[in-house]
Amino acid sequence: MNELGRPPEHALDGAEPDLELARAVAVEAAEAAGAMLRECSRGEFAIAAKGAAGDLATVLDREAETIIHERLRAAFPHHRIRGEEFGASGPAGRWEWVVDPLDGTNNIAIGMPNYVVGIALCADRHPTVGVVHDPVTERTWSALRGGGMRGPHGGQASRAREHNCDPGLTVAWTQGHRVGRHNLAARALKYVLDGVALRVLPLWAPLVSWSMIARGDIDGFLGYQAEDIDLPAGYLLAVESGVTVLTLDGELFDGRTGPTPCSFVAARPEHLGTLLSIVEAAAKLAPKLPAIRIPDPSR
């Protein structure tokens, strides 16, 4: 509050917020949530199904979102906040925070420590600030639109390996929770991808994949009908580190959030042709795939 008792100008809806401040608030919020997740995920906690599409939720998801929500709301009271667990709150307007408090719940549920916290600030649905925090390694990556990606300890992020150290491609895969096993397009994409790439990583945590391609740990990332809750933070890290993101039709993907599931290929320029060739081959293959018939064990 200023001396007149009004919220600071950056907090007013429609006013241009201080993006460096927004990044700092988001980093602090993600790391606070991450500290709780790191500690509490070592113990026992209840796991419940969230819907009928195979997604899961835990008390950890909700507690992490509460921690983040409180910090964002205190700093930006007039911004809308949309989280995976509690939905949207605050006035509809130009500025919206998109929060994935625990990306990788399915991994935690089976005891696999492969999860992150993601927070993004969007302007008119376009990612503007992105933060991804890894509670296990206690590392954080962040980005501002047009300002590059920043790695742990405040330094600029750098690629983890050179292109020529591995003769084959390592590509991450994700699909939306509502994509069933009978979806021919998804089956064909996975079939061709598995035949072309040296390694395919279905990590069950898209933000982990986004941060890996942003760092240069993997060569590509292919998503099919993915939800947008974990899109903006990871997308911004990737493009600000030099990754190109396209639609499956080869058009530029702008990362806008929205209710429609999104499909994309993400890679550095030297690998884009290979990923688009995979998409093209899969489109030709899909109509030829046989139906999946699972025997009924009761008969």
Side-chain angles (χ1 to χ4, degrees):
M1 295 291 219
N2 61 22
E3 67 273 13
L4 299 178
R6 292 195 296 264
E9 193 170 311
H10 73 263
L12 298 176
D13 183 47
E16 184 79 21
D18 181 332
L19 296 183
E20 281 292 355
L21 174 63
R23 186 212 309 247
V25 170
V27 166
E28 190 275 336
E31 291 179 349
M36 181 278 298
L37 291 170
R38 186 168 56 253
E39 179 63 27
C40 295
S41 63
R42 297 168 181 163
E44 295 184 359
F45 49 88
I47 302 167
K50 185 167 67 175
D55 199 10
L56 299 176
T58 71
V59 66
L60 303 183
D61 299 70
R62 295 185 287 274
E63 179 61 25
E65 188 164 317
T66 298
I67 291 171
I68 294 167
H69 190 283
E70 289 176 349
R71 284 160 172 77
L72 296 181
R73 180 60 70 218
F76 300 95
H78 292 271
H79 285 182
R80 188 171 181 81
I81 301 174
R82 178 164 58 93
E84 184 171 32
E85 300 306 315
F86 299 129
S89 65
R94 185 172 180 231
W95 298 95
E96 180 182 60
W97 291 92
V98 180
V99 178
D100 192 342
L102 200 178
D103 186 34
T105 304
N106 286 333
N107 293 334
I108 280 187
I110 60 173
M112 187 166 68
N114 189 23
Y115 62 94
V116 293
V117 178
I119 304 175
L121 175 61
C122 297
D124 297 323
R125 297 170 49 204
H126 290 273
T128 304
V129 177
V131 172
V132 175
H133 171 65
D134 182 343
V136 178
T137 63
E138 300 184 54
R139 296 184 296 171
T140 304
W141 298 270
S142 63
L144 300 182
R145 179 176 289 274
M149 185 175 81
R150 185 175 298 175
H153 314 301
Q156 290 296 314
S158 59
R159 298 208 63 196
R161 61 190 176 92
E162 297 296 329
H163 293 304
N164 60 4
C165 78
D166 193 330
L169 297 184
T170 298
V171 180
W173 162 267
T174 191
Q175 66 185 53
H177 292 294
R178 293 175 178 81
V179 178
R181 67 185 67 191
H182 299 287
N183 187 295
L184 294 179
R187 287 173 54 203
L189 282 167
K190 288 187 282 188
Y191 181 87
V192 179
L193 181 60
D194 188 61
V196 173
L198 180 66
R199 302 176 186 88
V200 179
L201 307 177
L203 298 178
W204 293 3
L207 280 171
V208 173
S209 301
W210 280 117
S211 59
M212 289 180 73
I213 193 170
R215 297 193 305 265
D217 296 335
I218 60 177
D219 302 299
F221 184 23
L222 204 162
Y224 182 73
Q225 294 190 7
E227 293 83 7
D228 81 330
I229 198 73
D230 44 36
L231 170 70
Y235 165 85
L236 194 61
L237 292 188
V239 297
E240 290 298 330
S241 69
V243 172
T244 300
V245 186
L246 303 177
T247 68
L248 299 191
D249 294 327
E251 301 295 327
L252 192 64
F253 181 75
D254 63 11
R256 279 184 295 179
T257 60
T260 304
C262 54
S263 301
F264 57 84
V265 295
R268 295 183 187 272
E270 62 268 26
H271 299 310
L272 272 176
T274 301
L275 264 67
L276 289 174
S277 295
I278 289 171
V279 172
E280 183 179 355
K284 296 177 181 177
L285 174 65
K288 304 175 184 178
L289 290 177
I292 294 177
R293 293 182 175 84
I294 301 175
D296 185 347
S298 65
R299 295 182 179 179

